[in-house]
Each structure stands twice: as structure tokens, then as C-alpha cells.
Amino acid sequence: TRNIYSEAIATSKIGRLLVTKGNYKEAERFLLEGLKLSRLSGVKRALRYPYAGLLELKTEQGKTAEALAYYRKYYDVNDSIINVFKMRQIVELENKHRLELLERDKKIQQLWTNILIAALGFTTILAVTIYYFLLFRERKNRRILNLQIDNLTGQHEAVSKKYKYLLANEIDKPIESIDQRLLKKA
């Protein structure tokens, strides 16, 4: 077939089956072919199957040094796959955490925007209220000032009339000096 990965796994599984049947020579040929195809496929997890089969084969044959070498290769590949898997999990968790932080930052930014808008609205309302209060005070003060001006004008007119009348009467009377007054008294 054109799928090297599938061929590698199938060939390795056939080799492992032959090991259980005791056909070691044929099993080694299939397992080595599976190993070659796994390397060609470039998929690391495909290497686990031929290494596990070769480990089993060499153990059955009593070749412990070769079995140990395949054992190390199998666990190196397995550990690297697990490490890649765990690394993916770590990256996914970091990305999830970053997204949560970004969402939290967005919520905080939205909250500050809302607070700023509320403060701006409150300040505007306060400024308008103060403006109308000052306008009201100014109108009230003008009315009071106008009333005081009218009152003072009225008082001035009354005093003017009073003194005008007195001055008019005094003009008709002859002016007496102090000596003339004394003589009249005497």
C-alpha cells in the first residue's frame, strides 16, 4: 500500500505473532522490515511496535545483551512519545491559562471603562447642577440688590422731600444771627 505507517505496524505485528509461534527467523525478518518501514514513515510512535517485538524475540532467543539494547530503544521512544504528549498537554494548559488571563484582562478593561464613563457622567451632572445653582443664586442676589436699590431710592426721595420742604420754609424766613436771637430773648 501507499501508507507506510500502516504497513510498518502491520509488518511488526506479524513479526510479533511469529515470535509467539516460535518461528524466530521469519519473525526477525518481519520485525526488521517493520523497523525499516517505521523509520521511513517518520512517525515516532510506529517504532514502538518493532522494538517491542525485537525485545520479545531476543528475550525468547536468550540474547539478553541485544534484548537490553532493544529494551532501551523501546523505552526511549516510549518516553519521548509520552514527553511529547505531556508537552502538548502543558502547552494546551498554558494556552488555556493565557486565554483566561486575556478574558480577565478584557473584563477588567471593560470595568475600568464603565467606571470612567460613570465618573464622567457623574462629573457632568455635578457640573450642570453647580452651574444652575450659581445661576439661581445670581438671580436671587440681583433681585435682592434691585430691592435694596429701590428701597434706598425711596428713602432718598423721602429724605429729599423732607429736606426740600424744610429748606423751602427756611428760605422764606429771614436768617437771624446769634446776636439777634439774644436780643429777642432779652
Side-chain angles (χ1 to χ4, degrees), residues 73-123:
K73 288 179 182 178
Y74 173 78
Y75 279 103
D76 285 344
V77 168
N78 204 31
D79 288 345
S80 69
I81 291 170
I82 290 172
N83 287 341
V84 168
F85 177 72
K86 293 209 184 246
M87 188 60 84
R88 282 185 186 153
Q89 285 180 330
I90 290 170
V91 169
E92 287 174 6
L93 287 174
E94 285 177 349
N95 287 338
K96 182 180 176 185
H97 183 67
R98 283 185 186 136
L99 287 175
E100 288 172 358
L101 287 176
L102 287 173
E103 287 176 13
R104 189 177 313 151
D105 286 345
K106 186 177 178 181
K107 286 179 183 177
I108 290 171
Q109 186 68 30
Q110 185 66 37
L111 179 67
W112 278 110
T113 303
N114 290 343
I115 290 171
L116 182 63
I117 289 170
L120 186 62
F122 178 73
T123 305

Side-chain angles (χ1 to χ4, degrees), residues 33-44:
E33 180 66 26
L35 183 61
K36 180 180 153 191
L37 289 172
S38 295
R39 287 182 180 148
L40 280 175
S41 74
V43 179
K44 243 184 185 184

Side-chain angles (χ1 to χ4, degrees), residues 158-171:
V159 170
S160 286
K161 285 181 185 179
K162 178 180 173 185
Y163 285 110
K164 212 183 222 184
Y165 175 72
L166 287 176
L167 284 175
N169 287 342
E170 290 287 323
I171 293 176

Side-chain angles (χ1 to χ4, degrees), residues 11-182:
T11 307
S12 298
K13 286 188 176 188
I14 292 171
R16 287 185 79 181
L17 182 64
L18 290 171
V19 168
T20 58
K21 298 284 185 188
N23 191 350
Y24 299 137
K25 190 172 185 166
E26 194 68 22
E28 187 172 9
R29 187 177 67 81
F30 273 97
L31 289 170
L32 289 174
E33 180 66 26
L35 183 61
K36 180 180 153 191
L37 289 172
S38 295
R39 287 182 180 148
L40 280 175
S41 74
V43 179
K44 243 184 185 184
R45 65 178 178 260
L47 290 171
R48 289 185 301 180
Y49 298 106
Y51 283 144
L54 288 167
L55 167 64
E56 211 176 305
L57 174 69
K58 295 303 176 181
T59 303
E60 289 288 326
Q61 289 177 338
K63 300 178 180 177
T64 55
E66 290 179 39
L68 184 60
Y70 286 121
Y71 176 80
R72 285 186 184 140
K73 288 179 182 178
Y74 173 78
Y75 279 103
D76 285 344
V77 168
N78 204 31
D79 288 345
S80 69
I81 291 170
I82 290 172
N83 287 341
V84 168
F85 177 72
K86 293 209 184 246
M87 188 60 84
R88 282 185 186 153
Q89 285 180 330
I90 290 170
V91 169
E92 287 174 6
L93 287 174
E94 285 177 349
N95 287 338
K96 182 180 176 185
H97 183 67
R98 283 185 186 136
L99 287 175
E100 288 172 358
L101 287 176
L102 287 173
E103 287 176 13
R104 189 177 313 151
D105 286 345
K106 186 177 178 181
K107 286 179 183 177
I108 290 171
Q109 186 68 30
Q110 185 66 37
L111 179 67
W112 278 110
T113 303
N114 290 343
I115 290 171
L116 182 63
I117 289 170
L120 186 62
F122 178 73
T123 305
T124 304
I125 290 170
L126 185 64
V128 169
T129 305
I130 290 171
Y131 172 75
Y132 281 114
F133 176 72
L134 291 175
L135 193 62
F136 172 75
R137 264 182 68 186
E138 182 184 347
R139 287 180 186 161
K140 182 180 170 186
N141 288 342
R142 279 185 194 237
R143 276 190 232 130
I144 291 171
L145 183 61
N146 287 336
L147 288 174
Q148 286 177 346
I149 290 171
D150 290 344
N151 187 22
L152 288 174
T153 305
Q155 286 177 358
H156 176 62
E157 287 175 6
V159 170
S160 286
K161 285 181 185 179
K162 178 180 173 185
Y163 285 110
K164 212 183 222 184
Y165 175 72
L166 287 176
L167 284 175
N169 287 342
E170 290 287 323
I171 293 176
D172 293 340
K173 289 184 185 177
I175 300 176
E176 296 178 354
S177 67
I178 296 178
D179 292 334
Q180 287 176 344
R181 281 190 215 160
L182 274 176

